[in-house]
Amino acid sequence: MSRKQIRILDTVSIDRIAAGEVIERPASVVKELIENSLDAGASKIHVTIVEGGTTSISVEDDGHGIPFRELPLVFERHATSKIVSAADIVQVESFGFRGEAMASIASVSRCTVTSRSQDEDIGGMMRVCGGATERREPASRNRGTTILVEDLFFNTPARRKYLKTSAAEKKAITNVVTSIAMAYPEIRFQLTADTAPVLDLLAADSLPARVKDLLGGPASEHLSRFEAEEGGIAVGGLASRPTWTRPNRIQQFIFINRRPVKSPLLSQAIATAYKEVIPPGRHPVVILFLQIPFGEVDINVHPAKTEVRLMLERTVFSLINSALRDGLNLRELTPLTDITRPDSPSLDSINEAQNDYLKRHFTSKYSAPDSNSVQPGLFDSNPDSSVAPSQASSEVSQLRSAPFWQLHRTYICTQIKGALVIIDQHNSHERILYNEAQASIEEGSFAIPIQQLLFPVHLELSPAQVQTFQSNQTQLQALGFVAEAFGGQSIIVQGIPSSVKNWSEGQLLLDILDDLSETDQSSNADSNDLLASFACHGAIRAGQLLTIPEMQNLVDKLFATDIPLSCPHGRPTLIQFTIEDLEKRFGRR
Ligand code: ADP
Ligand code: MG
């Protein structure tokens, strides 16, 4: 590239470059606008979006408003009403103070501000398109401000091209409003998308009341309070008891001085507190507020202010850890490692437990127990839907008469011709479910056997889960979930796939929705994500006791799949020791 003379960029270019740092997508606009409303002391905030905010975003508040003569300053870079000098920065308690957001937003959209200050009788409006002022004139309005942002990124086509689908942007906006609303229960929030209400949160007098609206019924029923204080630092909030966990951290909300933040350190403190009492790969629901003197936290590390740097890291870490352990009584629970530790239950007690289970299972469900002809329990196969036999079927027939032994409630030991095999019960069930579901979805055959629930289950979803449910409803149906919207944020489930082992009163479906929500934020969830999530959460877990017929059925079905040797994530389903291996080890060869 040939060298050009060094020049200072014009303000339009500077604004657009800066916009790239602060305004990444419609959700970042919504975040900045709501923060300005909060700084203006609003008690009501109404967000309205069209097509995921890509067509328009409007945020209306009843805050103190902007005087008419100051309207042009709103769009000036480094113009702020929140600090006067550099010395104020250390003590700043408002969300904004850089005076950058409005200038950035207006440089990449058509932006209209309508406002009336509490000190003036008549309001005003000002419109700026791509950074250039179009109009400023008096306008009537109640006290407060409305900011309308249309055609975001209309003049930066490369950025516009990278926007996700409207549904994905809408969900990201829902998540932004959800997390801010969590920290301000006393403020009324509304979110309307394409004329339909997504959130309508009345001012609440406490955090639990607000949380119920935001996380849905089931999660909020499993929360307990926690709090602790030390040396001017206070932590507190709500967290789920270890009996209620999630597949990811979507339902973990962390606030520092009421500001939603992402902090690997604080997430780690949460994980450490629960480490011994919840299974690996699962996460508690946590709403954590950290109140910390303003001088001890640097919120300026990231332009969008979502990452923070904390001083006193160690104090904060141990404070959170002990607040959670005390508040949730985690110290008094038996660590999971003790329950599944290899040497804890004696072989006899496992044997007994297995027999017991077998007896109970048979007498309650079947009058004549016959392990060779009936395959009881949740693996009951439907004759019409059995998986097509493959080349592996010769191995299956060898297995028919083979003994089965469940080792540490995790592995199934059995023999095939010329070898001893050890099968991972979770990985192999995952493979079976994945293949069954894939066939059902791809062939559109709806071949999966369905088990009607005796009592239909109502599930109260979070707003984000509602959106994920709506956009994946057909595929969920193909998987065997008979579920439909039931007014407001709830759905009713009438039937589930027969082969799933972990329905847990609906937690399975919530797990799948949260998994899809997470992938959705970066790209659109495809049917592979759905299948993998279904297989992973629907499969029997390590630690679950299996009957002999259940083990036999699992192994039969595993060998009938086309890829019996690995689970959908690529982990092995089984390992084998051939007779030659054994002979070598014992010095017979
Ligand atoms: P900052 O929030 O960092 O001060 P912004 O660019 O976000 O900078 O906003 C610039 C200024 O516009 C604010 O300092 C504030 O005076 C004014 N402003 C923006 N939105 C509102 C609003 N909703 N209500 C009142 N004043 C507002
Ligand atoms: Mg601001």
Side-chain angles (χ1 to χ4, degrees):
M1 200 172 125
S2 66
R3 187 183 179 281
K4 298 193 182 74
Q5 192 190 332
I6 299 179
R7 252 184 268 265
I8 291 177
L9 291 172
D10 59 279
T11 50
V12 174
S13 312
I14 293 171
D15 284 347
R16 273 196 212 168
I17 292 166
E21 285 181 16
V22 188
I23 310 302
E24 196 191 333
R25 60 193 298 189
S28 7
V29 173
V30 171
K31 175 179 171 292
E32 293 294 337
L33 298 184
I34 295 180
E35 289 184 351
N36 281 344
S37 297
L38 292 172
D39 284 344
S43 66
K44 279 190 211 147
I45 300 177
H46 189 164
V47 182
T48 308
I49 56 170
V50 176
E51 292 185 295
T54 56
T55 302
S56 82
I57 297 166
S58 125
V59 175
E60 183 185 348
D61 69 47
D62 62 352
H64 57 52
I66 307 163
F68 185 67
R69 62 172 192 290
E70 286 184 25
L71 281 179
L73 290 173
V74 169
F75 300 101
E76 288 289 326
R77 182 156 302 279
H78 310 307
T80 178
S81 55
K82 299 166 194 175
I83 56 168
V84 177
S85 71
D88 294 348
I89 294 177
V90 222
Q91 284 305 325
V92 72
E93 294 192 23
S94 58
F95 279 100
F97 68 83
R98 294 164 157 247
E100 256 179 344
M102 291 304 302
S104 300
I105 292 168
S107 75
V108 291
S109 71
R110 303 180 219 276
C111 182
T112 312
V113 175
T114 314
S115 187
R116 182 168 73 73
S117 153
Q118 55 191 5
D119 309 320
E120 294 177 348
D121 297 332
I122 182 128
M125 73 83 88
M126 180 163 169
R127 185 169 166 85
V128 177
C129 292
T133 304
E134 279 201 345
R135 271 195 299 164
R136 179 166 74 108
E137 58 200 38
S140 70
R141 197 200 180 285
N142 291 337
R143 190 192 96 146
T145 305
T146 303
I147 295 188
L148 172 68
V149 177
E150 294 167 294
D151 303 331
L152 185 65
F153 302 138
F154 78 96
N155 54 356
T156 50
R159 296 197 69 105
R160 192 157 174 101
K161 213 177 78 190
Y162 278 102
L163 289 176
K164 309 277 159 20
T165 60
S166 306
E169 297 299 344
K170 174 178 157 191
K171 191 174 295 163
I173 291 173
T174 307
N175 289 334
V176 164
V177 181
T178 297
S179 58
I180 300 180
M182 193 86 85
Y184 289 85
E186 74 277 19
I187 293 180
R188 172 152 169 63
F189 281 94
Q190 282 170 284
L191 170 63
T192 307
D194 305 308
T195 72
V198 175
L199 285 168
D200 191 352
L201 307 164
L202 296 178
D205 54 4
S206 67
L207 177 64
R210 176 62 46 106
V211 165
K212 188 167 185 325
D213 287 336
L214 291 171
L215 296 188
S220 55
E221 280 156 26
H222 293 82
L223 300 175
S224 294
R225 275 181 185 282
F226 63 92
E227 58 187 347
E229 215 219 294
E230 196 188 309
I233 300 173
V235 301
L238 295 169
S240 63
R241 297 181 281 277
T243 42
W244 185 263
T245 57
R246 311 300 311 131
N248 52 35
R249 294 191 168 119
I250 285 187
Q251 294 201 339
Q252 287 188 3
F253 299 86
I254 302 177
F255 303 89
I256 298 185
N257 299 344
R258 276 186 141 188
R259 181 191 297 272
V261 295
K262 291 194 185 72
S263 159
L265 174 84
L266 303 191
S267 303
Q268 193 52 46
I270 294 171
T272 308
Y274 280 84
K275 191 163 178 260
E276 308 265 278
V277 294
I278 62 176
R282 303 291 299 182
H283 306 271
V285 176
V286 178
I287 301 131
L288 176 106
F289 291 93
L290 178 63
Q291 207 61 38
I292 204 163
F294 283 90
E296 303 287 354
V297 52
D298 186 357
I299 46 171
N300 251 322
V301 184
H302 190 262
K305 296 163 288 183
T306 50
E307 280 170 30
V308 288
R309 191 171 293 151
L310 284 176
M311 286 129 228
L312 302 174
E313 289 192 342
R314 242 187 248 169
T315 318
V316 169
F317 190 97
S318 65
L319 195 61
I320 291 175
N321 195 20
S322 60
L324 283 168
R325 282 174 188 238
D326 292 342
L328 278 291
N329 286 329
L330 301 183
R331 292 180 219 272
E332 278 139 52
L333 298 170
T334 320
L336 285 180
T337 42
D338 281 0
I339 299 169
T340 50
R341 210 200 322 264
D343 56 7
S344 64
S346 70
L347 289 185
D348 281 353
S349 72
I350 292 183
N351 234 339
E352 223 168 80
Q354 268 180 4
N355 286 335
D356 228 44
Y357 180 84
L358 207 64
K359 258 189 245 155
R360 261 186 294 126
H361 208 79
F362 274 112
T363 44
S364 62
K365 279 197 139 181
Y366 301 94
S367 46
D370 178 352
S371 61
N372 286 326
S373 57
V374 196
Q375 298 180 341
L378 286 136
F379 299 117
D380 285 3
S381 58
N382 179 329
D384 312 325
S385 69
S386 52
V387 181
S390 71
Q391 315 89 312
S393 58
S394 59
E395 277 160 67
V396 175
S397 52
Q398 294 157 16
L399 283 163
R400 288 249 169 257
S401 55
F404 295 91
W405 179 255
Q406 192 186 18
L407 192 65
H408 304 314
R409 300 187 179 189
T410 303
Y411 307 105
I412 300 166
C413 302
T414 191
Q415 70 176 60
I416 59 171
K417 194 175 172 205
L420 160 72
V421 285
I422 302 176
I423 294 163
D424 182 297
Q425 65 189 43
H426 173 76
N427 291 2
S428 35
H429 195 210
E430 230 181 328
R431 163 56 65 202
I432 296 164
L433 289 182
Y434 187 92
N435 283 31
E436 281 181 2
Q438 190 178 38
S440 183
I441 282 192
E442 282 177 3
E443 292 158 21
S445 57
F446 292 79
I448 283 202
I450 291 167
Q451 161 188 341
Q452 294 293 326
L453 297 175
L454 203 51
F455 301 102
V457 173
H458 286 254
L459 289 176
E460 192 73 36
L461 305 184
S462 74
Q465 287 166 344
V466 170
Q467 286 168 36
T468 313
F469 176 75
Q470 283 166 349
S471 44
N472 292 282
Q473 195 171 359
T474 323
Q475 299 219 337
L476 285 167
Q477 247 157 25
L479 282 186
F481 289 98
V482 187
E484 57 194 40
F486 195 67
Q489 283 176 210
S490 65
I491 58 169
I492 181 164
V493 189
Q494 315 258 16
I496 59 171
S498 304
S499 49
V500 303
K501 184 76 172 157
N502 286 314
W503 169 238
S504 326
E505 287 306 298
Q507 198 175 1
L508 168 65
L509 194 53
L510 300 179
D511 280 359
I512 295 175
L513 293 177
D514 278 359
D515 261 358
L516 295 180
S517 265
E518 200 174 42
T519 30
D520 234 24
Q521 284 178 15
S522 44
S523 63
N524 273 314
D526 60 20
S527 61
N528 251 339
D529 295 322
L530 177 60
L531 290 173
S533 170
F534 165 72
C536 176
H537 299 302
I540 23 163
R541 307 210 170 113
Q544 258 173 282
L545 192 65
L546 298 180
T547 64
I548 288 168
E550 278 177 337
M551 289 191 261
Q552 172 160 356
N553 194 14
L554 182 87
V555 175
D556 283 356
K557 283 190 165 181
L558 174 67
F559 281 103
T561 63
D562 52 352
I563 319 170
L565 298 182
S566 66
C567 82
H569 302 105
R571 289 192 303 263
T573 51
L574 62 87
I575 50 178
Q576 52 173 311
F577 298 91
T578 61
I579 294 296
E580 291 88 79
D581 289 339
L582 295 175
E583 282 173 346
K584 275 193 205 136
R585 300 289 290 272
F586 287 109
R588 290 179 184 272
R589 283 191 177 217

